[in-house]
Amino acid sequence: MAYKPTVGRRMSSPNVIPMADIMLVLLIIFMVVTPMLQKGVSVDMATATNPRDMQDADKDDAVIVAVTRDGKIFLGNTAINKEDITGQIKDRLANRLDKTVYVKSDSRAKYGRRGGSGG
C-alpha cells in the first residue's frame, strides 16, 4: 500500500491583519506628506464673486508673493523685507519671457501705509 499523507484542515477565512497594517502605514505616510505638497505660504484668501482660474500660478517656476495676516511678505517660501522685494523680483524675472508675478494675500491683511504725513 502506498503512503498517502493527510492534509490538515484549510483555513476558511483570509488573514487580513497584514493588509490592515500596510493600509495604516500608507495612511500615516499620506497624512504626513500631504501638507508638504502645498507650495508657498498658506493664506486665507478673500472669496471672489467672479474668480478666474490661473493655472500658470501652479507651475514650479511661478513667481508668487504672499502677504500674511500679520503683514509678513514671502517670496515663494522665503520671508523677505518690504524694501528688498523689488530687487528680488527683478532678479527672478530678468531672464524670463513670462514676467507675471502672482500675489496672494490674506483677506485680513492690512494694506496701505501707516503713519507719516499726508500720504
Side-chain angles (χ1 to χ4, degrees):
M1 270 205 194
Y3 173 72
K4 184 175 181 185
T6 59
V7 177
R9 213 167 45 123
R10 292 195 178 223
M11 188 168 36
S12 62
S13 64
N15 188 1
V16 294
I17 302 295
M19 184 181 71
D21 290 344
I22 291 172
M23 293 307 241
L24 285 173
V25 168
L26 288 174
L27 177 66
I28 291 169
I29 289 172
F30 285 124
M31 288 173 61
V32 169
V33 170
T34 301
M36 293 179 198
L37 296 176
Q38 182 179 0
K39 289 190 222 173
V41 178
S42 176
V43 295
D44 296 326
M45 294 194 301
T47 56
T49 54
N50 296 319
R52 287 188 320 172
D53 189 23
M54 296 186 182
Q55 295 174 351
D56 291 340
D58 293 333
K59 292 183 178 177
D60 290 335
D61 61 343
V63 179
I64 300 174
V65 176
V67 180
T68 61
R69 179 184 325 175
D70 55 356
K72 292 181 183 173
I73 301 172
F74 290 84
L75 184 56
N77 288 331
T78 309
I80 191 167
N81 293 328
K82 182 172 55 172
E83 296 80 23
D84 300 334
I85 195 162
T86 306
Q88 292 278 342
I89 291 176
K90 282 183 182 179
D91 291 343
R92 289 197 182 190
L93 296 178
N95 297 324
R96 297 176 58 152
L97 295 175
D98 179 23
K99 302 208 184 279
T100 305
V101 177
Y102 297 95
V103 178
K104 62 181 189 177
S105 177
D106 196 290
S107 61
R108 292 162 288 193
K110 304 289 184 211
Y111 62 93
R113 291 187 178 182
R114 287 188 178 178
S117 59

